[in-house]
Amino acid sequence: MKKKLTYALGEILIVIIGISLAFTMNKCADEKKDNTLKQQYLENIKSDIEVDKKNLQSNIEVIGEKMQSLNEVLPLINTNNPEKISSMNKLYPVFSSTDFFPKDVTYQTMINSGDFKLIDDFDLKAAIESHYSNYKIILKDYERLDIIHKEYLGEYIINNSDFDAMRQGKFPYSNEKLFKNILQSINGALRLKIIASERGVKSCDSILTILK
């Protein structure tokens, strides 16, 4: 009887050890899978931010050129200086939009899927969250110029443009005082865009340093 009991206990012990080993192996496999997924996410975020930085740097250069053109044209508006007619060609590129579309698909995927919890480094997680929160502020600064274009510049051009005069080589815009005010507002909004873009580049550099 004692021999049978010892045998039974041995069988139970073997089963328990087997279950424990299987559980441990599964846990290790899951941890390896999670770590691989986390590293892939971090690599993708790094790649996204590098693209964002490049786009912001390009925007800084383009916006700087627009501001330079505006600074050359503004002193001529609402004056009798004949050079203001030929200077209008410098303004048309200024009226085009310079946008920033953050590459945040990876980050949003991690948030929506719950995989953001895979990042167990608190400081890294906080840095990533802070970086993408900065984008929201940057986009608000970008939006200010869009509002001026839509609500003021567009309406002004429709109501105060004389395209016949333009074809005759004359200055095509009436109410030059209003035109100058709108251009000055655009110049101020462009300055805010540059500041926001520079802040974005700094944020990109900061998080890239951590990710490397």
Side-chain angles (χ1 to χ4, degrees):
M1 181 70 179
K2 185 177 180 181
K3 187 175 181 181
K4 288 183 179 180
L5 181 60
T6 302
Y7 178 78
L9 289 174
E11 288 291 317
I12 293 172
L13 183 60
I14 291 173
V15 171
I16 292 174
I17 293 173
I19 292 173
S20 298
L21 287 173
F23 178 78
T24 301
M25 291 176 66
N26 286 336
K27 185 178 180 181
C28 290
D30 288 341
E31 288 178 352
K32 183 178 180 181
K33 181 180 178 181
D34 287 347
N35 188 61
T36 300
L37 182 60
K38 179 183 73 173
Q39 293 304 319
Q40 184 62 58
Y41 274 132
L42 292 178
E43 284 297 320
N44 289 346
I45 285 180
K46 178 174 173 289
S47 177
D48 290 347
I49 293 175
E50 287 173 341
V51 172
D52 285 341
K53 177 184 174 181
K54 183 178 179 180
N55 290 337
L56 286 167
Q57 289 174 323
S58 176
N59 282 0
I60 290 171
E61 182 177 347
V62 171
I63 294 169
E65 292 172 355
K66 290 182 177 182
M67 291 182 65
Q68 182 177 347
S69 296
L70 271 174
N71 289 330
E72 292 174 5
V73 175
L74 272 169
L76 305 176
I77 305 299
N78 205 26
T79 71
N80 294 322
N81 193 319
E83 293 183 7
K84 73 179 179 181
I85 298 174
S86 60
S87 72
M88 288 300 97
N89 290 330
K90 296 180 180 179
L91 277 185
Y92 301 127
V94 173
F95 297 159
S96 64
S97 182
T98 304
D99 298 313
F100 173 56
F101 301 103
K103 287 179 63 65
D104 61 352
V105 174
T106 302
Y107 174 70
Q108 293 299 335
T109 299
M110 293 183 73
I111 295 297
N112 294 333
S113 66
D115 286 341
F116 198 60
K117 68 179 182 296
L118 294 175
I119 301 178
D120 49 6
D121 185 323
F122 177 81
D123 291 335
L124 175 58
K125 183 181 292 187
I128 292 173
E129 289 177 326
S130 176
H131 173 75
Y132 283 100
S133 292
N134 286 337
Y135 280 167
K136 296 179 182 178
I137 301 173
I138 292 171
L139 291 175
K140 282 188 176 295
D141 287 330
Y142 268 64
E143 186 182 6
R144 296 184 186 190
L145 184 57
D146 293 334
I147 293 173
I148 294 174
H149 279 180
K150 292 176 182 178
E151 297 187 6
Y152 298 99
L153 180 62
E155 183 177 348
Y156 170 83
I157 290 177
I158 290 173
N159 295 322
N160 296 277
S161 298
D162 186 340
F163 294 103
D164 290 331
M166 185 183 298
R167 283 190 287 269
Q168 295 169 13
K170 300 177 182 179
F171 190 74
Y173 302 115
S174 60
N175 197 345
E176 290 187 47
K177 184 176 181 181
L178 175 59
F179 188 39
K180 190 168 187 174
N181 286 342
I182 293 173
L183 292 180
Q184 288 173 329
S185 297
I186 289 174
N187 203 27
L190 287 172
R191 185 175 300 279
L192 289 176
K193 261 192 173 185
I194 279 191
I195 294 172
S197 299
E198 290 173 343
R199 190 169 63 246
V201 170
K202 185 176 180 181
S203 180
C204 288
D205 283 335
S206 178
I207 193 67
L208 286 173
T209 299
I210 296 174
L211 289 172
K212 289 176 181 179

